Amino acid sequence: MTRSYVWWQTGVIYQVYPWSFQDSNDDGIGDLPGILSRLDYLQSLGIDAIWLSPIFPSPMADFGYDISDYVAIDPRFGTLVDFDRLLDAAHQRGIKMLLDLVPNHTSDEHPWFLAARSSREHPQRDWYIWRDPAPDGGPPNNWDSYFGGPAWTFDPATGQYYLHLFDPKQPDLNWRNPKVCAAMLDVMRFWLNRGVDGFRVDVIWMLIKDAQLRDNPVNPDWKPGDPPWLRQIKLYNEDQPEVHDVIRAMRAVIDAYPDRAFIGEIYLPITKLVHYYGPNLDEVHMPFNFQLLLMQGWDARQTREAVDAYEAALPEGGWPNWVLGNHDRPRIASRVGLAQARVAQMLLLTLRGTPTCYYGDEIGMRDTPITQEQVKDPQGIRSPGYSRDPVRTPMQWDAGPNAGFSANTPWLPLATDYAARNVHRQDVDPISELTLFRRLIVLRRSISALTIGDYHSLDIANPAIFAYLRTDHDQRVLIVLNFSATTHELDLSTIGATGEALCSTHLDRSGTVDLAKLAMRADEGLIIHLIRASG
Ligand code: GLC
């Protein structure tokens, strides 16, 4: 039986961080017309969809994740007219567009919060989570915020604390109030009616908190210097059973429109993560799978275990996905080095399931050191050492002034290597990271075993190697990844006699390979089309 697939299953998603992609009006900040001017580039990558981090009006306490109006565009990024133009132009090129929906919290400057904080009696007071001080005058419970410090801020005018799991300028909405839910579903409809192709939903697993707001247990393994968000075990402020009801309500809105995608940002162990597909596949289409992003260290065995465990945990019909980078975590090329970053790209783009790529990773951009005085990220300000600014620096387009990003000084410093590492240069370099990225996407798209085929990992008696098969009907593709900086000769003759090399991470290999004597070079990944023995 031939199954049919939708675009978010067969496609590749590319995250654009609007602050840093392309400036068009010389204010040092990226914007929508800037993205529009780079659509040819995005199309040339072969990606299917872009996800834009938030572009809505915001005081920018958390760079757009603190929204003061859900149904407009921040003037730094442009206007609704610019937005429509971008959406239209993307669609004309066959590129879908996902927006970032941030329903857990608003800005403290959102009219809803201004109303709620105006008096205890205001009808919108209950749109947020307010509590009296503890008997000693302190916060109502022990919850930490993710950025460091308590999750409660006292409002002297009304004598109560409000909850904010992130910055004090990001008060949490009360999702137990049906009016909040209704308002947010209307926000979704506003953008869906405008033609967006779906949403990536920010911290979706946090929307509902324990009804009794009980204290979280303290994590016994946490030491000073560890990330602030690991200090407590988040037993009562995330992954609450009732959250699934609100996610289903959101999904019903998505389902009322044809062909839209609904992706949830969820940092949970996979056994819990997979519950977010919903018992009847009626919650998010894809709960982001962050295993490749969170992995400590980088080795073949651990990676195989992670992939196999995820494949085994997926519910029947639940479509997999993989994320290699985002605006919150160190970049892949900084985590594993440039040579292994190529192997990681090959992994991402040959695994089963939708890949999400982070802007700049396709040219091997690395984290840019930013001094504490220059830090802009609220997490980096509250918890020194955990700034996310280094992964959000401007896109490196060319060797010209400000890397072609802006005519003015960019809002964050540029990487110092931009003259050597940029799109313009890599575009014409036959062995660049960019050339590899494009080649991998072409293969993924043109070979159905890679687009939609099954996945089977192989037992290889070599701890440096992770190898797996992707198969669709009689098409078989073998992927062999060398996670080490040394060469290895492998005997894979049990899988087949010969194959045809389709792509090496070194971009210098083609033709027939002898599987009985497969020489894998240092840091090499190889995609091999298996040729069936005749007869
Ligand atoms: C998500 C975003 C992150 C933001 C946080 C609060 O984790 O990815 O950038 O700071 O939510 O909205």
Side-chain angles (χ1 to χ4, degrees), residues 15 17 51 53-54 62-66 100 102 104-105 146-147 165-167 170 200-206 265 267 290 326-329 377-379 388 392:
Q15 180 187 357
Y17 193 70
W51 147 36
S53 280
D62 188 18
F63 294 89
Y65 286 93
D66 51 317
D100 211 315
V102 188
N104 180 67
H105 42 266
Y146 282 80
F147 294 160
L165 294 184
F166 294 89
D167 196 81
Q170 293 167 294
R200 169 271 189 190
V201 185
D202 195 63
V203 298
I204 198 168
W205 85 115
M206 296 185 192
E265 185 207 22
Y267 285 90
F290 292 124
N326 69 22
H327 62 296
D328 293 328
R329 304 280 163 166
D377 174 23
Q379 179 168 286
R388 299 167 294 182
R392 299 173 175 180

Side-chain angles (χ1 to χ4, degrees), residues 296-318:
Q296 301 290 324
W298 180 250
D299 68 76
R301 207 159 266 173
Q302 190 195 169
T303 307
R304 178 192 178 177
E305 276 166 21
V307 180
D308 287 357
Y310 178 66
E311 283 279 348
L314 285 169
E316 179 75 33

Side-chain angles (χ1 to χ4, degrees), residues 352-381:
R352 191 175 81 92
T354 308
T356 298
C357 313
Y358 185 50
Y359 86 94
D361 282 353
E362 73 275 21
I363 55 167
M365 273 175 65
R366 284 168 290 182
D367 298 347
T368 303
I370 290 181
T371 61
Q372 192 61 31
E373 299 72 61
Q374 288 177 307
V375 168
K376 297 212 156 53
D377 174 23
Q379 179 168 286
I381 292 169

